[in-house]
Amino acid sequence: MGRTGCCYRGAERLASPPRVPRLRPLLVLLLALCYGAHRGHCQVATPQCRIHKCTTDFVSLTSHLTPALDGFDVEFCKALRSYSACTQRTSKSCRGNLVFHSAVLGISDLMTQRNCSRDGPTSSTHPEMQSEPCNYHSRTQHAHTHPHTHTHTPPGYLFCGLFGDPHLRTFKDSFQTCKVEGAWPLIDNDYLSVQVTNVPVVTGSSATATNKITIIFKPFEECTEQRVYQAVTDDLPAAFVDGTVSSGAPDHNVNGNNGDSTGKALWISEHSPGRHVELHASYIGVTVIVRQLGRYLTLAVRIPEEMAHAYDATQDLQLCLNGCPTSERIDRGGHLPLPLPHTALGLQLQQPHGQGQSSHTHSHTAPYSAPHGFSMEGARARCREQLEVQDIYFHSCVFDLLTTGDANFTAAAFSALKDMESLHPHRERWTIYPPSSAHTSQPITWLLLLTLCALG
């Protein structure tokens, strides 16, 4: 029989009578797997059902065994106990799966035949490298290590951030300024959902800021039940909505949680009460930073690429993945196509009530001048206090001060920059400059255009 689809390399060895003559139940299971693959429909209900991985590991552990070897019964029983433990860990996500239930029955029959006790030592496919099922780093290191060289291919990670009025940095490092008033999904995949709610910050302006963040960690095998975290302005809790601060049995991954002493699969750490919390989901390799600065919230997320792309066609509206819809963009790739000369724009912003301006001009500048007293130079000076490099974070800071007059947005831009530096996996892509900054005479013009577009 061919080795396609779900049929495992090494399965044919278990069908060899001279080696292990009484493996009929397992052979039936493996034949069923191959038959399902041949017909084009493997019996795996969800991506989380890991029965195929359990069976592959069992084949790997027993393919070299023969009854003539000393200690055959001991090693075979250890492999069966490992197989049984693996099926127990994935039982929740394999309900109703034919292959899973066949494997459970086959294991029970084999343990009876070989007089194996239910309790006792187990085997490992790589004794020198134990895989922790509720730790993403451990699982991927185990799965991506080349068997002959033992070299590890690290998984890829993506970053997304949201702050200010609001400014979005997508998984592709596209930097956008958007309206997106109301509730919008940033991330929505099979493992994680992140939704933000944005409200207007200034009357008459299209600029908004985030006052609510909802994060849903979806159930994953035996590692965690569903947990929901929600933060709103002036309520940045250090617990999930059910009052818990962690999830997952400690004995699942006590050796690999990157600094978490409890060994939980999911936990919250509070760095500054009411101002800064971090959520760590070691079972899916996700870190989320939530802050409150002034009246509004900021968000930064690091997620493995394979997790970020685990979604279907009904989940395609994700701002982190695809950016803001065109109709919701305040910027246009860093440029705003306003039919006004650059010098006139500067005059309107710095002297909104100057002589010689038409009533049409006043209708755009009045909302800008009412809520604050920052001039262009004043805003730039304030932002320079914390942001030395005049990159996109600096320009976003100036834009936010001109739009709102709220100095807290300076701290928001600075914190967003630091969170990006702590979570973004590619240092060479940290710094982004607005397109116009390639022409040194135009960086201020970019900000003026962006601000006018928001206020208009």
Side-chain angles (χ1 to χ4, degrees), residues 184-196 213-219 226-230 279 283-284 286 288 299 301 303 307-308 310-311 314-315 317-318 320:
W184 289 81
L186 290 185
I187 299 173
D188 184 18
N189 56 54
D190 294 343
Y191 307 96
L192 178 71
S193 292
V194 179
Q195 179 176 282
V196 296
I213 296 173
T214 303
I215 304 171
I216 302 175
F217 295 91
K218 302 178 182 180
Q226 179 169 291
R227 288 291 186 271
V228 179
Y229 179 82
Q230 189 169 92
L279 298 91
Y283 67 100
I284 53 174
V286 169
V288 183
L299 181 82
V301 182
I303 183 173
M307 301 296 181
Y311 65 94
T314 65
Q315 300 168 298
L317 181 58
Q318 302 181 53
C320 284

Side-chain angles (χ1 to χ4, degrees), residues 53 55 76 96 120 126 159-160 166 180 209 211 225 250 277 281 284 291 312 314 386 399 418 423 429 433 448:
K53 179 65 167 60
T55 304
F76 190 72
H126 299 284
F159 172 83
C160 180
V180 289
N211 72 343
E225 301 293 336
V277 300
I284 53 174
R291 297 178 186 264
D312 58 35
T314 65
Q386 292 187 287
F399 168 74
K418 293 306 176 183
L423 296 182
R429 288 154 56 182
Y433 294 97
L448 298 178

Side-chain angles (χ1 to χ4, degrees), residues 53 56-58 60-61 123-129 131 142:
K53 179 65 167 60
T56 300
D57 288 347
F58 179 76
S60 176
L61 291 169
S123 301
S124 171
T125 52
H126 299 284
E128 75 284 0
M129 187 175 59
S131 173
H142 185 270

